[in-house]
Amino acid sequence: RDEERLLFHLENSPLAVVEWNKDYIVTRWSKEATRLFGYDSAEVLGKRIDALQLIHEDDIPIVEQTMGRLSSGRERTVVSENRNVTRAGKIIHCVWHNSVLTDAAGKMSSVMSLVQDVTAERSAKASLERTIASLRVLVTNSGEYMLLLDSDGVVLCSSRYAAAALGYGSKELEGKRWQDF
């Protein structure tokens, strides 16, 4: 009954659930894993996790390092982030929350990964960084009294006119809260 309840929760998790044994053979593949990666469980169960071509080629060293950390037995949980490739060839960014079960000898017997797609968050962050960079250029070169603040009121940059009016150089204002002036 407990196993039935656990399986229900795993299958209804908003995170993809992937489990593999000590030989990196996939033993569990949730519905969310199918939705995220595009492979049906029948296509992946019984195959090595690294043979599925889910890993972006440039991120293979990251995954190899993570797999080494997991199999070493010294760490019970390892969180890693890498790019994955879906069945349709789309590149997505995922955070893998890996937990290791060990046998009596302390050797890895299985790993369960909860996989979170963070593609939208990474894209939004990159867009925000580009916007801030553009705003920095605009504010820094402005002939007006301007400060660019973050959401906490910390000065990101200023025009030279605003800095001079406050008795500072532009770089001196950066990192300070505007309320302190």
Side-chain angles (χ1 to χ4, degrees):
R1 186 169 208 174
D2 288 340
E3 185 175 334
E4 187 178 290
R5 290 176 61 210
L6 178 60
L7 287 174
F8 175 82
H9 289 301
L10 290 175
E11 281 302 318
N12 289 288
S13 171
L15 302 177
V17 179
V18 179
E19 185 175 15
W20 63 85
N21 66 19
K22 64 181 176 57
D23 298 317
Y24 296 100
I25 304 295
V26 178
T27 58
R28 181 172 318 279
W29 187 264
S30 71
K31 289 184 293 189
E32 184 61 18
T34 296
R35 188 199 66 74
L36 180 62
F37 297 112
Y39 293 96
D40 189 71
S41 62
E43 297 174 278
V44 297
L45 293 176
K47 295 186 178 167
R48 277 184 56 102
I49 190 75
D50 55 351
L52 297 175
Q53 298 180 330
L54 293 175
I55 312 304
H56 186 280
E57 66 183 46
D58 294 339
D59 291 354
I60 289 173
I62 295 168
V63 174
E64 288 175 343
Q65 180 185 29
T66 299
M67 291 172 80
R69 290 172 63 195
L70 292 167
S71 62
S72 73
R74 291 187 300 272
E75 297 178 75
R76 298 292 300 260
T77 59
V78 176
V79 178
S80 62
E81 182 174 339
N82 61 272
R83 289 170 291 176
N84 292 101
V85 182
T86 69
R87 180 182 193 155
K90 180 181 175 187
I91 297 172
I92 58 175
H93 293 258
C94 293
V95 174
W96 291 68
H97 301 268
N98 305 291
S99 57
V100 177
L101 289 178
T102 55
D103 60 19
K107 300 279 188 196
M108 179 182 83
S109 61
S110 71
V111 173
M112 181 173 287
S113 298
L114 301 177
V115 187
Q116 180 180 13
D117 181 358
V118 295
T119 306
E121 291 87 348
R122 294 300 174 264
S123 177
K125 182 179 178 183
S127 178
L128 178 61
E129 288 170 354
R130 286 190 302 273
T131 300
I132 289 173
S134 295
L135 287 171
R136 281 181 185 274
V137 170
L138 176 69
V139 169
T140 302
N141 294 316
S142 173
E144 302 295 326
Y145 295 89
M146 295 180 79
L147 297 174
L148 178 61
L149 311 173
D150 70 10
S151 59
D152 295 322
V154 175
V155 177
L156 298 176
C157 68
S158 67
S159 67
R160 66 175 181 246
Y161 298 104
L166 293 169
Y168 290 91
S170 295
K171 292 291 180 191
E172 291 177 290
L173 288 176
E174 290 180 20
K176 295 182 173 38
R177 292 172 26 95
W178 75 271
Q179 295 92 332
D180 295 339
F181 299 106

